[in-house]
Amino acid sequence: MPKSDIDRRALLRGLTAFGTLGLAGMPAMAQEDWPKRPIRIIVPQPPGGNLDLLVRAVSEGLRPVLGQPVVVENRAGGNSVIGLEACAQAAPDGSTFCAVNVEVMTTMPFIEPQLYQRFASIEPVTQLATSPSVVLASLEAPPGNLKDFIAWARGRKGLNYGSSGAGSTPNLLWEWIKKTEGIELEHVPYRGVADAIRELSAGRVQASYVGMAVAMPQIQAGRIRPLAVLGDRRLPDLPETPSMAELGYDFPYAGAWWGLAAPPGIDAGISTRLAAAVRQVVTDEEFRRRVLLPQYFHGVGNSPGEFKALIARDRSSGEALVRLTGVASKG
């Protein structure tokens, strides 16, 4: 059985055990007006991915905090647009929310503006979690860091990098590296990060970039090599791998993040209370130990205002990144 499958099953076992604990010791939120009925969270991706697993875990933790069932509904398709559009069109009564990630909120507005407009009205509620990400190479490249890989790749023909699709963060990262370093790599888009890493492990592409949860099993098995971690510091799990900042790169993103949003017009008090409930869940030590740490998630649970400011900042960086890389707009 692939280790990534084992990791996902371990997460679900931890989630089940955590749900049984019922967040003992955490005070239930006041039930004055909201929520009066079950809550639905739309995940605009298929079951089984990082976003789906994270939202399901948090939803289980929210049940005893909010005093209502929290149901996860997968509505995949259209590069997340189908589910997010359904959220944008839902009644703003506090019964429907949706899950978002860094890409749909910060780079899609510039890469696929017509698609983005179909859900642009959703309102930020809270950032659920962040996760470190790793720049990777196949074993075809010699050992070393990202600088060493670039030196090896410069002037070499026939190199490829894999991504989770056109406009994805891996696509933007490697196009940014190509522009700033003057190297040639052909983009090979896949249906998702799992396919990209499988092809990297098999040596059919020479580079990629994914989150820690997907990368670590393959790194530990010796099938791929880490070149750098995003952000400004090394990670305890990869102490020998330098950060992008340490190597002198100012790539604007520090890694993946996921959050919740709501239909337009939702009462600010409901958003604030949901954000507080999420913060209770994702910062609980038992939840962190059983659910977040095994998948390299870091719980956040910030306020709607803080999440909105984060999106605005990352969107500004995303716009500059899209312009620099020349990733074509489809709008």
Side-chain angles (χ1 to χ4, degrees):
M1 180 184 300
K3 189 175 186 303
S4 59
D5 293 340
I6 296 173
D7 288 346
R8 284 189 166 85
R9 292 187 180 189
L11 184 149
L12 292 174
R13 285 197 299 270
L15 169 58
T16 301
F18 177 78
T20 303
L21 293 174
L23 284 179
M26 296 181 72
M29 299 184 70
Q31 301 296 308
E32 298 171 354
D33 297 312
W34 177 86
K36 292 181 178 179
R37 53 181 172 168
I39 295 166
R40 173 181 63 150
I41 299 179
I42 298 172
V43 174
Q45 296 177 6
N50 277 337
L51 180 60
D52 178 65
L53 291 172
L54 175 62
V55 171
R56 288 182 184 278
V58 173
S59 297
E60 286 295 322
L62 286 172
R63 293 173 189 263
V65 179
L66 296 175
Q68 289 286 353
V70 181
V71 179
V72 176
E73 177 185 334
N74 294 91
R75 298 194 64 174
N79 197 13
S80 295
V81 173
I82 290 176
L84 296 179
E85 185 176 34
C87 181
Q89 295 174 350
D93 57 5
S95 63
T96 299
F97 297 89
C98 51
V100 296
N101 62 22
V102 61
E103 293 163 337
V104 300
M105 298 302 288
T106 65
T107 56
M108 185 180 280
F110 312 107
I111 295 174
E112 298 181 301
Q114 290 183 341
L115 290 181
Y116 172 72
Q117 285 305 315
R118 290 168 56 179
F119 64 88
S121 59
I122 59 175
E123 299 185 11
V125 174
T126 188
Q127 187 180 36
L128 293 171
T130 63
S131 179
S133 300
V134 191
V135 186
L136 302 159
S138 72
L139 299 185
E140 179 181 343
N145 59 39
L146 181 58
K147 289 280 190 183
D148 300 316
F149 177 87
I150 289 168
W152 172 76
R154 184 168 284 114
R156 195 176 295 265
K157 303 296 183 181
L159 300 181
N160 305 295
Y161 74 88
S163 86
S164 52
S168 65
T169 306
N171 177 208
L172 290 168
L173 171 82
W174 278 103
E175 291 301 316
W176 182 85
I177 291 173
K178 286 167 58 178
K179 288 283 187 180
T180 56
E181 292 288 352
I183 61 174
E184 292 297 325
L185 291 93
E186 188 70 24
H187 178 211
V188 182
Y190 294 99
R191 292 174 60 89
V193 293
D195 290 342
I197 288 303
R198 183 163 50 250
E199 294 297 284
L200 182 69
S201 300
R204 286 185 279 271
V205 296
Q206 288 71 48
S208 191
Y209 148 73
V210 298
M212 283 281 286
V214 177
M216 282 301 289
Q218 301 300 322
I219 293 173
Q220 292 167 340
R223 298 189 184 101
I224 57 178
R225 292 194 176 106
L227 299 175
V229 296
L230 264 65
D232 59 4
R233 65 193 65 178
R234 297 191 182 202
L235 301 175
D237 294 283
L238 292 172
E240 303 302 316
T241 304
S243 69
M244 291 283 283
E246 184 181 343
L247 293 173
Y249 296 110
D250 59 351
F251 187 69
Y253 291 150
W257 59 249
W258 304 271
L260 294 180
I266 191 170
D267 183 88
I270 293 177
S271 291
T272 298
R273 291 176 66 187
L274 178 58
V278 168
R279 184 162 54 251
Q280 281 187 269
V281 173
V282 300
T283 59
D284 176 77
E285 186 56 36
E286 181 71 5
F287 186 85
R288 179 175 173 272
R289 182 179 69 83
R290 288 184 178 272
V291 177
L292 299 181
L293 287 181
Q295 295 296 308
Y296 303 95
F297 293 139
H298 172 72
V300 181
N302 53 10
S303 70
E306 290 168 337
F307 189 30
K308 184 176 182 180
L310 169 72
I311 291 171
R313 184 173 68 248
D314 279 1
R315 187 171 294 173
S316 177
S317 298
E319 181 178 19
L321 185 58
V322 170
R323 288 178 176 174
L324 175 66
T325 59
V327 174
S329 169
K330 297 179 182 179

